[in-house]
Every structure is written in structure tokens, then in C-alpha cells.
Amino acid sequence: MNDALRLTPVERAEMIERLFQSFDNHRKAEIDAAWAAEFESRLDAYKEGKIKASPVEEVMARINKR
């Protein structure tokens, strides 16, 4: 646990994702559909000028500061 807490936020998120995927997830299709809908909603908002994009480098820098 202590080793995991020393990882960067991105590395911890990747670890969480891999651990989550290790469970027998019978709701995977439902979760994937929800993520797809969220993506489409955000993309539409971006195209309509309701939200702005940030370069990936800035986003990763903000995440890794936490």
C-alpha cells in the first residue's frame, strides 16, 4: 500500500483501472455505454463552445501536482 501511495496520480489511476478490470464485471457493457455517452456529451459541449480544451501536457501537469 505504501508503495502504491508513492506513485504519481496517473500511475495510481492506471493501477486502479487494472485492479478494477481484474474483477468479474458483469456490468461492463453498461459501464462502457455510460462512458461513451459522457464522451459524446463532452464532445458536443466542446463543439458548441460551452467548454474549452486544454493541451494534454497542461492536464497531466495539473494531475501530477496533486
Side-chain angles (χ1 to χ4, degrees):
M1 181 61 83
N2 288 332
D3 290 341
L5 292 173
R6 283 192 280 278
L7 297 172
T8 67
V10 171
E11 291 169 329
R12 289 194 312 264
E14 289 171 351
M15 178 180 281
I16 290 166
E17 178 64 22
R18 289 189 67 190
L19 287 169
F20 180 73
Q21 289 177 2
S22 72
F23 291 101
D24 179 24
N25 190 348
H26 64 282
R27 295 182 55 204
K28 183 173 180 358
E30 181 183 342
I31 292 168
D32 288 347
W35 274 116
E38 180 66 22
F39 169 78
E40 291 296 331
S41 172
R42 291 182 190 202
L43 183 59
D44 290 345
Y46 172 76
K47 287 178 179 179
E48 294 168 7
K50 294 178 182 175
I51 59 173
K52 295 184 180 189
S54 297
V56 69
E57 295 83 9
E58 288 179 19
V59 173
M60 298 309 286
R62 285 194 311 258
I63 290 170
N64 285 319
K65 278 185 176 180
R66 294 179 183 177

